[in-house]
Amino acid sequence: MTRKIPIHAIQQTLPNDTTVVDKTVRKMNHAIHTSLLFDPHQKAWLTNVSVQVDKQTGLIISVHERTTKDAEIEDDDVDLRAYTVLPGFVDAHTHIFLHDYKEASSINQERDERENRSRNTALQARSTSWVRIFPSPSSAHPPQLTNPTSSYTTYRDLGTEGLYSFDTSLRDTINRNLTPGPRLLVATEALASSSGYALRLESQPPTSAHPRLSDPCDGIDACRAAVRRRLGAGADMIKFYADYRRRTLRFPPPAYPGGRDVRFAPAGLEKRNPASVLFSQEEMDAIVSEAHRAKCAVAAHAVTVEGVIMAAQAGVTSVEHGFVRSDAAIEAMKKHGTIFVPTLAVVESDGGGPGNKMLCEAMAQTYAAWKAGVRLACGGDTGAFAHGQNVREVELMVQAGVPLEDVLEAVTLGGWLACGGEWCSRRFGGVREGWSADFVALEGDVRGDLGALRKVRWVVKDGEVVVRDGRLVDVGL
């Protein structure tokens, strides 16, 4: 719905006549003027709102509802009255160092591209800005810039997939303003039990070395120690694998194109290599409690019903994936206040097109979770499918039946909560005093045209314009 609201419902505001604002103060601040602005805290559309931003901190200092669409525009102001404006989007599930699996499989990227991926970390960093990650720094997939108008100002990155803690370096490079990029909150390496999440290579010589995909831990004390290692490495959050497909080598697939498959293997992935729980309940409890002692959020990869329920009981911040339709899983997430990140886009990318059973089941689970009151966050497992196509997750959640305003809340405020909420170093994803001034301006009205999500004209992060009129701003680095 669209409505004007009492200003006190937002915060303390400026006087209605902005001309009375002291000119000296205006030099320290600037305003962002809107005609239609989405407020995720209320899931409401606000009209004729101007936002004052502190230039030094990039934080909102006031929100002012104007009496008319007209606004007094100062030299440094950002006039977005011709657009639909929303808080900057938060992708709640990404892998910045992966590229589309259609270009190279996960095992080829993790095993074969590791040297190039690590050597080109700085090159990757420059490409991150509301842009997309380069498809791959390898010679087979030369870097190229595409989609310079992505609406995402924050990435919640849930594992480097073989690059250890290099995501902290990329995060810090952006935070030092050495390269443009979205705000990154990173997990470094995910936790898994021994050989729970690892490269599995048939006939691997014992002397060969391959990158590890996770920080392995077994037993309560070892799980606590693994959390401490991740915290010491600079992680913003902890991720662990509640379950995974760990029996690949029981019926190993062909190792190369044209290779022979084993005979009499069960048909279908779920029978040939089903996911199974990697940790005991006590181990999961230990991971979460140790992270919470450090005021650190926890994300759990879980695709089985048992994994979802155990992770929710442990008190994780969020469950990732949870594709299987299950009222018991939904009940557990609802009971324990678990955020659900369904990652529909990666299911579709893996071959779950229209009519595909897995995608239909995942969308049904998403809708049922929303209807039951489970909080959602929006992240598609970006990286496994192309960076720059992040918004596909928003589109699929709407197609699943979740109302638009609830999806927009999930991709803004819900993302901040999935990152840890008040445990984050900064508030983002909302329109409130003291929150980061992150905004995206869309051409068209998304309420009647979902395609407007892909027509990004302006992007503001921390009060600074990074995309203007559909073009990436030269930041002068």
Side-chain angles (χ1 to χ4, degrees), residues 96 102 112 135 190 192 221 253 255 267 278 288 303 321 366 384 400 433-434 436 470:
I96 53 175
K102 292 184 176 66
D112 304 328
D221 290 343
L278 301 188
V288 174
V303 298
H321 311 303
T366 301
E433 179 180 351
S436 182

Side-chain angles (χ1 to χ4, degrees), residues 348-369:
E348 180 185 55
S349 179
D350 283 345
N356 179 275
K357 179 181 178 182
M358 181 175 289
L359 180 58
C360 292
E361 186 172 2
M363 293 175 76
Q365 181 72 352
T366 301
Y367 177 77

Side-chain angles (χ1 to χ4, degrees), residues 124-156:
Q124 285 241 86
R126 291 193 62 83
S127 74
T128 313
S129 55
W130 7 99
V131 194
R132 59 160 288 182
I133 309 300
F134 291 146
S136 166
S138 69
S139 58
H141 302 283
Q144 57 180 326
L145 212 65
T146 65
N147 191 26
T149 55
S150 173
S151 47
Y152 288 80
T153 53
T154 302
Y155 260 36
R156 178 180 180 242

Side-chain angles (χ1 to χ4, degrees), residues 136-461:
S136 166
S138 69
S139 58
H141 302 283
Q144 57 180 326
L145 212 65
T146 65
N147 191 26
T149 55
S150 173
S151 47
Y152 288 80
T153 53
T154 302
Y155 260 36
R156 178 180 180 242
D157 201 67
L158 295 182
T160 60
E161 304 293 328
L163 286 184
Y164 300 96
S165 301
F166 287 2
D167 51 358
T168 63
S169 299
L170 178 53
R171 176 200 64 195
D172 298 342
T173 299
I174 294 170
N175 287 346
R176 290 189 171 105
N177 205 30
L178 297 174
T179 191
R183 179 182 300 105
L184 289 182
L185 290 98
V186 303
T188 67
E189 295 179 280
L191 309 186
S193 58
S194 290
S195 197
Y197 185 64
L199 285 172
R200 285 175 250 279
L201 306 173
E202 189 177 1
S203 303
Q204 178 179 342
T207 56
S208 64
H210 293 289
R212 72 181 193 180
L213 300 186
S214 62
D215 188 344
C217 50
D218 302 286
I220 292 174
D221 290 343
C223 287
R224 290 190 180 277
V227 172
R228 293 166 185 171
R229 286 194 295 272
R230 295 303 95 221
L231 295 171
D236 298 294
M237 66 200 68
I238 301 299
K239 177 187 176 181
F240 73 89
Y241 281 82
D243 53 33
Y244 201 71
R245 304 180 304 274
R246 52 180 163 171
R247 304 192 69 183
T248 301
L249 296 184
R250 185 185 182 203
F251 300 108
Y256 53 88
R260 290 190 178 186
D261 201 353
V262 297
R263 300 177 68 193
F264 313 124
L269 180 62
E270 290 307 311
K271 292 183 179 179
R272 182 169 182 154
N273 182 21
S276 59
V277 173
L278 301 188
F279 292 105
S280 68
Q281 186 67 64
E282 292 76 17
E283 288 171 319
M284 293 189 196
D285 293 347
I287 290 171
V288 174
S289 65
E290 189 65 31
H292 284 182
R293 286 174 59 188
K295 294 181 171 57
C296 183
V298 181
H301 168 111
V303 298
T304 65
V305 173
E306 183 181 7
V308 171
I309 293 173
M310 291 176 67
Q313 289 175 342
V316 298
T317 309
S318 68
V319 160
E320 316 294 311
H321 311 303
F323 305 136
V324 178
R325 177 71 187 91
S326 166
D327 288 335
I330 290 174
E331 182 180 352
M333 290 189 287
K334 173 68 174 176
K335 178 180 179 180
H336 297 283
T338 310
I339 299 170
F340 183 32
V341 186
T343 64
L344 301 173
V346 76
V347 182
E348 180 185 55
S349 179
D350 283 345
N356 179 275
K357 179 181 178 182
M358 181 175 289
L359 180 58
C360 292
E361 186 172 2
M363 293 175 76
Q365 181 72 352
T366 301
Y367 177 77
W370 165 79
K371 192 172 182 180
V374 174
R375 177 175 285 281
L376 303 176
C378 194
D381 210 347
T382 312
F385 66 96
H387 293 273
Q389 298 301 315
N390 320 51
V391 77
R392 183 60 182 150
E393 185 72 11
V394 177
E395 295 168 341
L396 287 170
M397 289 179 76
V398 173
Q399 291 178 24
V402 181
L404 175 64
E405 284 74 16
D406 289 271
V407 176
L408 294 178
E409 190 262 2
V411 77
T412 52
L413 183 61
W416 175 69
L417 292 170
C419 289
E422 293 295 343
W423 287 351
C424 297
S425 61
R426 197 170 178 87
R427 294 172 175 172
F428 50 86
V431 187
R432 290 289 187 274
E433 179 180 351
W435 290 59
S436 182
D438 299 342
F439 295 99
V440 55
L442 308 177
E443 183 177 346
D445 191 336
V446 70
R447 295 171 299 177
D449 177 17
L450 201 61
L453 289 168
R454 294 180 178 269
K455 300 175 183 177
V456 180
R457 304 304 297 166
W458 290 70
V459 178
V460 178
K461 179 196 169 214

Side-chain angles (χ1 to χ4, degrees), residues 19-32:
T19 60
V20 305
V21 179
D22 184 82
K23 298 297 183 181
T24 302
V25 174
R26 288 304 298 268
K27 291 179 181 179
M28 300 167 57
N29 310 325
H30 69 101
I32 298 172

